[in-house]
Amino acid sequence: PTTSALTLYWVTSRDRLADAKARVLARARETDPAARWHPAVDKRLRLAVAMRGGVSLAVWIGGAVAELDLLRGIEVCRLGETAVAFVAWPQPAPPPAPVRERVRLYAQLLHDGGFSGVDCDVLAGASAGGLNSVMWATAQRAGAPVDSMLDTWREVGGLAALMHPPGFRGVDALLQGDGYFWPQMRYALERFHWSADAHPDRVAPHVSVDLSATLIDSADASDPDIREGRGDFHFSGRAS
């Protein structure tokens, strides 16, 4: 489609997309009684996102996910000849100017590329990247912001916190997985699921996650892949 300037509307956590579109349409009909909404195009961009392992990469991935999640909140449509983008934003006020400018650019790119929106509904990962996939999938299904993903790695992923206290007792692993890391990750997932900043218009109707893992004590398994320590897990969440 021909590049044209977009009119951008922010749908904050105090508002709903349907209500915002109704208000904009009512104003347009004051001058054009025949005005109505049209999809900019009847096509959405679907992204499959794979996330690698490594705690240092996990922090970088968190920033990349935050930008992709901005894309996910954009809906591009047309009101007559005017291109319009609505952005579902899970806060009571629009974001700071740098974020607004990035979202405007993303919305324009979607419009110029012929897409009405973005779905990031196929996720995969291993190790720390797998945990990021699970956190983002949980946030998508809850309509929650992903800002706390970075906080999780800053607060929980530090090596000093993960290591066992010094001493001479025997340990099964160098790091405190079951006793420390797992409870912290469960709390992080619950924080996404029960987020007070969740926005109904940001809830993803479907997300799937595929994880790769190394299995311990798998020598007696009948499956040859499992005997070699290779494991995989598949999770799928969808609207009921």
Side-chain angles (χ1 to χ4, degrees):
T2 304
T3 299
S4 59
L6 278 168
T7 302
L8 201 66
Y9 294 95
W10 289 89
V11 184
T12 66
S13 60
R14 296 173 177 170
D15 202 357
R16 296 295 177 266
L17 178 60
D19 296 336
K21 293 179 78 171
R23 290 195 301 270
V24 174
L25 180 61
R27 286 198 296 268
R29 284 180 171 171
E30 292 175 0
T31 55
D32 179 9
R36 61 191 181 96
W37 288 113
H38 303 273
V41 286
D42 203 12
K43 182 172 65 172
R44 295 183 65 82
L45 176 64
R46 291 187 68 197
L47 299 179
V49 184
M51 308 182 195
R52 298 177 61 184
V55 173
S56 59
L57 273 176
V59 177
W60 180 87
I61 289 170
V65 164
E67 292 301 299
L68 288 171
D69 207 57
L70 289 177
L71 264 173
R72 207 178 61 78
I74 299 170
E75 179 180 320
V76 180
C77 46
R78 299 194 70 86
L79 185 58
E81 297 301 314
T82 304
V84 177
F86 290 91
V87 186
W89 180 248
Q91 301 288 342
V99 177
R100 293 200 303 270
E101 288 306 310
R102 295 205 305 278
V103 170
R104 180 176 293 279
L105 173 61
Y106 297 155
Q108 189 71 58
L109 288 172
L110 285 174
H111 175 263
D112 295 346
F115 297 102
S116 59
V118 176
D119 297 313
C120 303
D121 57 350
V122 178
L123 309 180
S127 188
L131 290 173
N132 275 340
S133 297
V134 171
M135 284 193 283
W136 191 21
T138 304
Q140 286 195 49
R141 287 291 293 129
V146 296
D147 301 359
S148 60
M149 184 183 292
L150 291 172
D151 297 333
T152 297
W153 287 112
R154 279 195 295 260
E155 297 166 5
V156 178
L159 192 60
L162 285 168
M163 292 188 68
H164 288 276
F168 294 98
R169 68 194 183 285
V171 295
D172 294 327
L174 179 64
L175 304 179
Q176 302 182 79
D178 293 343
Y180 171 75
F181 192 66
W182 163 237
Q184 294 292 332
M185 290 306 302
R186 179 170 179 170
Y187 169 73
L189 294 175
E190 289 176 347
R191 188 164 54 176
F192 284 121
H193 182 73
W194 300 111
S195 173
D197 294 324
H199 197 305
D201 292 316
R202 292 182 58 86
V203 174
H206 172 261
V207 185
S208 68
V209 180
D210 286 277
L211 305 178
S212 299
T214 300
L215 303 179
I216 308 299
D217 296 332
S218 56
D220 297 332
S222 59
D223 188 303
D225 284 340
I226 295 177
R227 281 203 303 272
E228 293 178 13
R230 293 196 297 267
D232 60 86
F233 301 88
H234 175 78
F235 303 93
S236 180
R238 65 180 67 247
S240 56

